[in-house]
Amino acid sequence: MTDTEADTRAAHETAPDGAAPRRRMPGPLAGVIGFVLGLALAAGLVLGVLSALREEFRDAFWRVVVEGLNPFTTSQVDRSETPVLLSIRDLARFVAAEAQYEVLVDLERDVRYVPGWLAGERMVLVVNGSVDAYVDFTDLDEDAIEISDDGTTVTVTLPEPELAEPRIDLDASRALTEDRGLVDRVGDLFESDTDARQEALAVAQDQISDAAAGSDLAGRARANTTSTLEAMLSASGFDKVVVEFG
């Protein structure tokens, strides 16, 4: 019996239980069907993911398209360099008091014989700032502290309190009015008007400094420094603490 006749006979043989004969699927056809099923399964998974993310994907797609086609799209490039350390100073200041101030600055600059609507400027700012009163311990030496023979009294001689430069709080400050004439507004198109703001802030700083100097801020710093040293030195075992300024 040849191989062909054996294959034909095996193909027509019935199963042991009398069932109809089974035909085997050719290998190439099975591979094609498996590939198609796998492709369909993969496509289903991809569609499911895209369906879940369709809103985010759509928004991102439109953002890319709109930003790519918009000729006025802006971008920011940071070319700043690493900060360079210039100096370090050791400070020995005891800040004993602080005063908060608010000042209204009203500056007007007129051009002679020219109406205000054409040339001129008026700026009204509400400026907030603070001033520290401190005692500088930097130059204190052993002669600044004297202890009595019995060890019960200590006398400390300190320099007079000083007032620091006013600190302007730009976040708390605000502009109420900024009126400019036509010529000044046209000039702003070519050059930012920062000089006027700097001038107004400088005026506010001077006014705050004068107000602090005319107040009892230095006296408050003197009293607070005295009470602080009395508490510290009394805890060290001294019965009497004398603080002198001068």
Side-chain angles (χ1 to χ4, degrees):
M1 179 181 299
T2 63
D3 294 339
T4 302
E5 294 176 352
D7 293 340
T8 304
R9 180 178 180 182
H12 289 82
E13 288 180 352
T14 58
D17 54 357
R22 294 179 296 178
R23 293 180 178 271
R24 294 182 180 180
M25 181 179 297
L29 180 59
V32 172
I33 294 176
F35 174 77
V36 173
L37 291 177
L39 185 62
L41 180 60
L45 292 176
V46 172
L47 290 177
V49 173
L50 292 179
S51 177
L53 301 178
R54 60 182 181 277
E55 295 183 0
E56 291 80 0
F57 180 78
R58 181 185 59 207
D59 295 341
F61 174 77
W62 280 113
R63 281 198 301 269
V64 172
V65 172
V66 171
E67 292 179 359
L69 297 179
N70 184 7
F72 303 103
T73 301
T74 60
S75 61
Q76 180 175 346
V77 179
D78 187 359
R79 295 188 176 90
S80 304
E81 297 182 358
T82 304
V84 179
L85 177 63
L86 299 180
S87 65
I88 295 179
R89 292 187 302 166
D90 293 331
L91 301 179
R93 292 181 176 182
F94 173 68
V95 179
E98 181 189 55
Q100 299 282 341
Y101 293 94
E102 182 176 271
V103 59
L104 180 67
V105 179
D106 189 344
L107 295 180
E108 185 173 0
R109 183 177 58 192
D110 296 326
V111 180
R112 197 172 184 179
Y113 305 123
V114 177
W117 62 267
L118 182 59
E121 182 177 13
R122 182 186 179 188
M123 179 174 295
V124 181
L125 300 178
V126 176
V127 181
N128 285 264
S130 62
V131 177
D132 290 338
Y134 65 92
V135 177
D136 194 353
F137 293 164
T138 304
D139 297 329
L140 293 182
D141 52 21
E142 57 184 12
D143 295 335
I145 300 177
E146 296 182 2
I147 301 176
S148 62
D149 295 336
D150 57 4
T152 61
T153 303
V154 59
T155 301
V156 182
T157 303
L158 300 174
E160 287 291 338
E162 300 179 42
L163 301 182
E165 291 292 329
R167 296 192 307 271
I168 301 301
D169 188 352
L170 296 178
D171 293 334
S173 304
R174 62 190 184 279
L176 297 181
T177 303
E178 290 188 66
D179 294 331
R180 295 183 179 89
L182 179 60
V183 175
D184 297 276
R185 288 197 297 268
V186 172
D188 289 344
L189 297 176
F190 304 95
E191 183 178 359
S192 60
D193 188 26
T194 58
D195 292 339
R197 294 185 181 89
Q198 292 298 328
E199 181 182 355
L201 292 176
V203 171
Q205 191 173 23
D206 292 339
Q207 293 182 1
I208 292 175
S209 180
D210 294 340
S215 68
D216 191 37
L217 183 59
R220 177 70 65 87
R222 189 181 296 108
N224 291 341
T225 303
T226 300
S227 61
T228 300
L229 290 178
E230 287 177 346
M232 291 175 57
L233 296 175
S234 296
S236 300
F238 294 101
D239 298 332
K240 184 178 181 180
V241 178
V242 179
V243 179
E244 298 178 349
F245 294 88

